């Protein structure tokens, strides 16, 4: 992988940050398009086709932004679903270890197991 000199991999923004910033900027634009300032400009427009086009385009932008957010959430949900069995098993093992307080090794093993699964979830999120 190539990158600009002087920039390390650790300094590059995470995809989550980029996506969040992109969606936030898109939402800000959407809010501005729904502001009274912009609304007044298009209400005073005499060309009805321009008015209609503005409303249609603004609506499409909103729908696409929501769709982008939904797709991102669906991907995370699908990945989390793939870890569901491991997570449930880990939680059950941890509860059993806690209930049978006598074996500290089992408790530590269960805690390590579940924290490993949670760490995998953080990678997804």
């Amino acid at each position: 992988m190539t990158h600009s000199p002087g920039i390390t991999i650790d300094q590059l923004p995470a995809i989550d940050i980029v996506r969040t910033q992109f969606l936030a900027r898109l939402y800000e634009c959407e809010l501005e398009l729904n502001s009274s300032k912009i609304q007044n400009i298009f209400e005073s427009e005499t060309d009805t086709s321009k008015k209609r086009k503005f409303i249609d385009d603004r609506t499409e932008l909103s729908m696409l932004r929501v769709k982008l957010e939904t797709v991102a959430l669906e991907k995370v949900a699908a990945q989390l679903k793939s870890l569901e069995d491991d997570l449930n098993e880990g939680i059950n093992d941890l509860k059993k270890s806690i209930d049978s307080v006598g074996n500290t090794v089992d408790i530590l093993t269960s805690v390590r197991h579940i924290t490993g699964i949670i760490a995998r979830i953080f990678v997804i999120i």
Side-chain angles (χ1 to χ4, degrees), residues 2-117:
T2 61
H3 57 278
S4 302
I7 297 176
T8 66
I9 297 292
D10 295 336
Q11 293 171 319
L12 295 175
I15 191 69
D16 291 338
I17 294 170
V18 171
R19 181 181 56 237
T20 301
Q21 290 173 345
F22 170 74
L23 289 170
R25 290 180 61 214
L26 196 54
Y27 184 67
E28 286 174 18
C29 290
E30 189 178 336
L31 288 176
E32 289 178 37
L33 289 172
N34 285 291
S35 71
S36 58
K37 175 184 167 185
I38 299 297
Q39 192 66 34
N40 289 338
I41 290 170
F42 277 93
E43 283 179 7
S44 64
E45 176 62 54
T46 56
D47 186 342
T48 56
S49 66
K50 280 185 183 177
K51 285 182 183 182
R52 184 77 246 154
K53 183 76 172 136
F54 168 71
I55 292 169
D56 290 345
D57 289 350
R58 182 179 64 183
T59 302
E60 183 177 15
L61 175 67
S62 296
M63 290 179 359
L64 290 174
R65 180 193 51 80
V66 169
K67 196 173 195 174
L68 279 173
E69 289 174 336
T70 303
V71 166
L73 291 174
E74 286 173 347
K75 284 184 178 183
V76 170
Q79 291 173 326
L80 286 174
K81 183 70 176 160
S82 71
L83 294 173
E84 181 180 29
D85 291 341
D86 287 345
L87 188 56
N88 285 329
E89 181 183 325
I91 290 170
N92 291 336
D93 289 347
L94 180 57
K95 286 180 153 244
K96 286 177 191 173
S97 297
I98 290 169
D99 290 343
S100 65
V101 179
N103 192 336
T104 57
V105 173
D106 284 350
I107 293 173
L108 291 173
T109 301
S110 296
V111 170
R112 268 188 243 117
H113 180 73
I114 196 118
T115 55
I117 295 167

